[in-house]
Amino acid sequence: MRATEIRTGRKFALAIDHGEDFFTALGTFCRDNAVQAGHIPTFIGGFSTARLVGCCGPLKHPERPLWEEIEVETLEVLGTGTLAWDAENSCVAPHIHVSAGIKAASADGRTSHLLGGTVQFVTELIVEEIVSPALTRPRVPALYNVPLLTFGDTK
């Protein structure tokens, strides 16, 4: 286990509008407001389409991360996540998970890592900035190249 005390900064309410790409809008918001780290305690909204980590068959290697994705359409979501700085690409790297109900399938549920989505109607978020320590998410080659959250200077 790893833990650290954090110091929070500004808090924002953000509405991502109909037709917008979720991650593009979130990235633009972070860039425009100089947010390099933070967390999204919760968000609600709709997506016309979303890409989630998942597959439609048995896992070949359950002990390894899954890099495959599925696409689902017309869903309501409840999500949360963290924002960490990606020094390699000079941008925020969001790590977002959602629970979603697919409207056309009696709100049948999916829960997974969100890879992408197009907002339907509106998605509403609260973003709370973390000002210290610096949060980063470098990939760890010894752990299947999974990006892991780190606290503070990683040099």
Side-chain angles (χ1 to χ4, degrees), residues 23-38 82-95 134-139 147 149-150:
F23 283 115
T24 299
L26 182 58
T28 298
F29 161 78
C30 289
R31 186 185 67 246
D32 290 353
N33 291 281
V35 172
Q36 292 192 355
T82 56
L83 307 171
W85 188 248
D86 178 349
E88 189 174 309
N89 296 301
S90 297
C91 63
V92 165
H95 184 166
L135 302 183
T136 58
R137 192 172 282 113
R139 292 188 177 275
L149 187 65
T150 62

Side-chain angles (χ1 to χ4, degrees), residues 14-123:
L14 175 61
I16 301 176
D17 293 319
H18 183 77
E20 289 189 271
D21 179 86
F22 178 84
F23 283 115
T24 299
L26 182 58
T28 298
F29 161 78
C30 289
R31 186 185 67 246
D32 290 353
N33 291 281
V35 172
Q36 292 192 355
H39 77 107
I40 301 167
T42 190
F43 70 91
I44 57 171
F47 286 98
S48 57
T49 62
R51 294 179 8 260
L52 307 174
V53 169
C55 66
C56 296
L59 297 176
K60 292 177 185 171
H61 303 284
E63 72 285 358
R64 297 181 187 172
L66 181 65
W67 302 109
E68 294 177 50
E69 64 182 65
I70 60 168
E71 186 164 318
V72 290
E73 296 181 348
T74 317
L75 55 152
E76 295 291 326
V77 299
L78 173 68
T80 187
T82 56
L83 307 171
W85 188 248
D86 178 349
E88 189 174 309
N89 296 301
S90 297
C91 63
V92 165
H95 184 166
I96 307 292
H97 282 248
V98 296
S99 288
I102 301 170
K103 292 181 190 180
S106 302
D108 190 28
R110 301 287 187 274
T111 300
S112 192
H113 181 93
L114 181 66
L115 298 173
T118 302
V119 171
Q120 184 175 35
F121 308 123
V122 69
T123 295

